[in-house]
Amino acid sequence: MSKRRTSIAIVGMQWGDEGKGKVIDLLSEEACHIARAQGGNNAGHTLVVGGKEFRFHLIPSGILYPHTKCYIGGGTVIDPSSLLEEIEALEGHGILHAKRLHISLYAHIVFPYHRLIDQLSEKQKGNEAVGTTGKGIGPCYTDKINRCGIRFADLLQDAVLKEKVRVAVAQKNQVLERDYRHAPLDWESIYREYSAYAKRLAPFAAPVEELLFSALKKGEKILFEGAQGALLDITFGTYPFVTSSCTLSGGISAGFGFGPSKIDETLGVTKAYTTRVGNGPLPTELSPEELTAFPDHTAAREIGTTTGRKRRIGWFDAFLMRHTICLNGADSLALMKLDILDELDEIKICTGYKQCKTFPATIDELSRVVPVYEKLPGWKTSTRNVTVYDDLPPLAKAYIRRIEELCELPVSIISVGPEREKTLWLDRFFCE
Ligand code: GDP
Ligand code: IMO
Ligand code: MG
């Protein structure tokens, strides 16, 4: 089923952490440009390459191939201290220099008051907390929408930065004192800190929207790296237990400034089961007994990359997937972490929710749904060393085929381990 594509969007189909980083890294071998359109350092994408583990939060996961150029788009929110940590780690490995990473002037900047308000407001919500990463993402997007945010372009003009920080901190101090009885922040020290970040980040500033459009015109291959997952989307996710940006394929166009008709294909990344980190309903969540039979969190690599929290685990939910396939217009699926199911006696797939024709729009309804399961026998054989689809155990093939049937979409990539090599290709994305 190979066909020629110039630009491919890669998006998470569940609640994030599906393995997007690994898929981006894989496809980057043949891509020239890798672009991130939205979100911030709430994302955590882990790659295992040459026995080493790399964790990216904002820098696209395609950066490890020396031939690629990477872009951080206008729809993102950038915490400069965190981004500089990533940049410096890569510079230390000799991987990164200013000609390989380009940052949009339109991106918004995360300030210490965003992080503080995120954390204080979560604490104040108590049991109702969203379970955010505490990185200030929501408050930064709030300022963007409220038209009082500070953008990368502002950061780079010192006088503008100074005035904007003075005004913003005065306003935030009112909020901190009134809503949280928190001591005021000192705007001058924040300005000085950010002025220093500006000097470090200035060489990365670029008209990324134009750069990518001219790459497109030359027929150069482009990958868009999704962050988070469809059910964390600010509009269509499990609101209010969501992030503050558009995590769907449509968010890529709006977040990068790239016309939707120029994206050739959407690859949806899903685990062979489901996970969620943070609060909110997870209909297929494993019972305590089922969890005991499942590989533990460390073995399954189900400890959050950004916050170190244990991820909640559930069975594969085909009803949810049909919904997120619709929201994303996904063309095929990358099915990740099949190996984690290797030892199970029995595997469940959720085919629907009792008495639900469509995916519930409210948390109240979603918390009360009763999943309908189909039970499939486990294959009880390691898939870790399988390199081609035909060599998979027949019961593993049956599981994959059932997922395809229920999702009404082909699986194009199967992943059986965190490393690059542990991948079975059913489609070569950038080939003729
Ligand atoms: P992302 O946010 O979607 O990029 O996913 P994360 O990196 O946050 O989480 C996925 C975790 O699973 C990481 O630790 C990956 O190294 C790991 N991983 C990815 N694919 C596989 C796989 O097929 N098998 C196993 N065992 N681990 C995988
Ligand atoms: P990647 O790209 C998993 C979740 C948080 C919380 C909610 C809101 O690695 O898949 P925020 O800090 O964004 O305001 O938190 O969203 N969340 C993620 N969960 N993977 C992510 O990114 C996430 N980014 C945000 O846990 O429930
Ligand atoms: Mg992640």
Side-chain angles (χ1 to χ4, degrees):
M1 61 172 174
S2 291
K3 68 168 190 189
R4 186 175 161 80
R5 295 94 165 177
T6 303
S7 62
I8 301 178
I10 299 194
V11 289
M13 301 298 279
Q14 298 160 318
W15 278 282
D17 301 328
E18 296 88 351
K20 298 174 293 294
K22 171 172 170 171
V23 175
I24 293 284
D25 172 65
L26 288 170
L27 295 190
S28 295
E29 187 175 1
E30 293 179 35
C32 309
H33 307 275
I34 298 96
R36 174 82 185 268
Q38 57 80 28
N41 62 335
N42 48 350
H45 300 169
T46 316
L47 323 184
V48 181
V49 175
K52 265 200 240 149
E53 188 165 311
F54 296 85
R55 288 158 181 236
F56 296 120
H57 298 286
L58 203 49
I59 293 187
S61 308
I63 197 79
L64 294 183
Y65 282 101
H67 66 271
T68 57
K69 289 200 169 148
C70 292
Y71 305 82
I72 297 176
T76 63
V77 290
I78 299 176
D79 183 328
S81 60
S82 158
L83 177 59
L84 280 165
E85 248 176 61
E86 281 188 67
I87 288 177
E88 281 157 16
L90 287 171
E91 283 173 342
H93 283 98
I95 292 169
L96 184 70
H97 50 80
K99 290 201 167 64
R100 292 198 56 211
L101 178 69
H102 305 294
I103 305 175
S104 170
L105 295 166
Y106 296 91
H108 277 249
I109 301 296
V110 178
F111 281 86
Y113 47 79
H114 291 131
R115 287 193 300 264
L116 191 58
I117 290 173
D118 188 2
Q119 291 158 17
L120 291 170
S121 98
E122 281 283 279
K123 212 163 145 200
Q124 200 175 63
K125 283 182 187 154
N127 287 340
E128 310 290 306
V130 174
T132 71
T133 58
K135 303 285 181 190
I137 306 301
C140 185
Y141 276 116
T142 302
D143 281 357
K144 170 178 175 171
I145 300 304
N146 206 17
R147 295 162 291 192
C148 61
I150 301 180
R151 301 189 297 174
F152 189 42
D154 305 322
L155 186 78
L156 299 180
Q157 301 177 66
D158 204 59
V160 175
L161 175 69
K162 191 170 185 178
E163 180 55 11
K164 287 196 182 263
V165 170
R166 191 185 63 75
V167 171
V169 173
Q171 195 266 328
K172 298 304 172 198
N173 278 342
Q174 287 181 16
V175 174
L176 286 171
E177 282 171 310
R178 188 192 62 215
D179 295 350
Y180 304 106
R181 306 212 174 288
H182 193 281
L185 302 176
D186 171 30
W187 75 267
E188 281 182 303
S189 66
I190 297 176
Y191 154 68
R192 278 195 300 274
E193 180 189 344
Y194 276 67
S195 180
Y197 294 147
K199 290 189 182 73
R200 284 284 286 118
L201 289 174
F204 298 96
V208 303
E209 304 74 28
E210 311 278 331
L211 292 179
L212 220 53
F213 190 58
S214 65
L216 177 80
K217 286 202 277 192
K218 285 187 246 161
E220 294 173 358
K221 293 165 184 146
I222 300 169
L223 280 179
F224 286 101
E225 172 163 349
Q228 291 82 44
L231 291 167
L232 291 172
D233 181 74
I234 184 66
T235 307
F236 296 103
T238 46
Y239 192 89
F241 299 100
V242 293
T243 191
S244 299
S245 52
C246 176
T247 62
L248 303 173
S249 58
I252 287 174
S253 281
F256 203 89
F258 196 83
S261 65
K262 306 294 182 239
I263 298 179
D264 294 324
E265 181 154 331
T266 298
L267 171 60
V269 185
T270 171
K271 277 177 183 157
Y273 48 98
T274 311
T275 62
R276 162 160 219 180
V277 59
N279 303 332
L282 169 54
T284 61
E285 192 154 14
L286 301 190
S287 67
E289 304 80 69
E290 289 172 332
L291 198 58
T292 320
F294 209 83
D296 72 37
H297 283 82
T298 307
R301 301 176 70 84
E302 293 303 1
I303 311 259
T305 313
T306 299
T307 56
R309 292 178 290 180
K310 280 186 181 170
R311 296 174 184 147
R312 296 155 62 197
I313 298 175
W315 298 111
F316 187 86
D317 186 339
F319 190 64
L320 170 162
M321 287 292 295
R322 286 200 292 274
H323 178 57
T324 60
I325 286 165
C326 151
L327 296 175
N328 278 300
D331 295 293
S332 75
L333 297 174
L335 187 67
M336 313 301 286
K337 307 192 79 160
L338 187 72
D339 55 301
I340 300 301
L341 307 180
D342 281 351
E343 298 309 323
L344 298 184
D345 291 327
E346 186 177 76
I347 305 172
K348 291 202 231 169
I349 301 186
C350 168
T351 55
Y353 303 156
K354 264 188 197 152
Q355 290 171 348
C356 281
K357 284 206 166 65
T358 54
F359 196 79
T362 68
I363 290 300
D364 189 42
E365 285 168 280
L366 192 61
S367 323
R368 286 187 284 105
V369 295
V370 180
V372 178
Y373 289 111
E374 216 171 85
K375 291 180 184 165
L376 277 76
W379 44 94
K380 309 274 288 172
T381 322
S382 173
T383 54
R384 273 295 189 97
N385 294 317
V386 174
T387 52
V388 287
Y389 176 81
D390 287 345
D391 292 346
L392 278 175
L395 289 173
K397 286 187 198 162
Y399 183 66
I400 297 164
R401 291 297 160 225
R402 189 66 186 128
I403 285 177
E404 288 184 315
E405 272 168 28
L406 290 167
C407 294
E408 298 170 17
L409 211 61
V411 168
S412 49
I413 293 176
I414 299 162
S415 175
V416 290
E419 303 84 0
R420 276 181 184 164
E421 316 76 65
K422 309 266 178 215
T423 309
L424 319 182
W425 294 91
L426 301 175
D427 188 356
R428 298 304 304 211
F429 279 82
F430 280 129
C431 298
E432 296 290 333

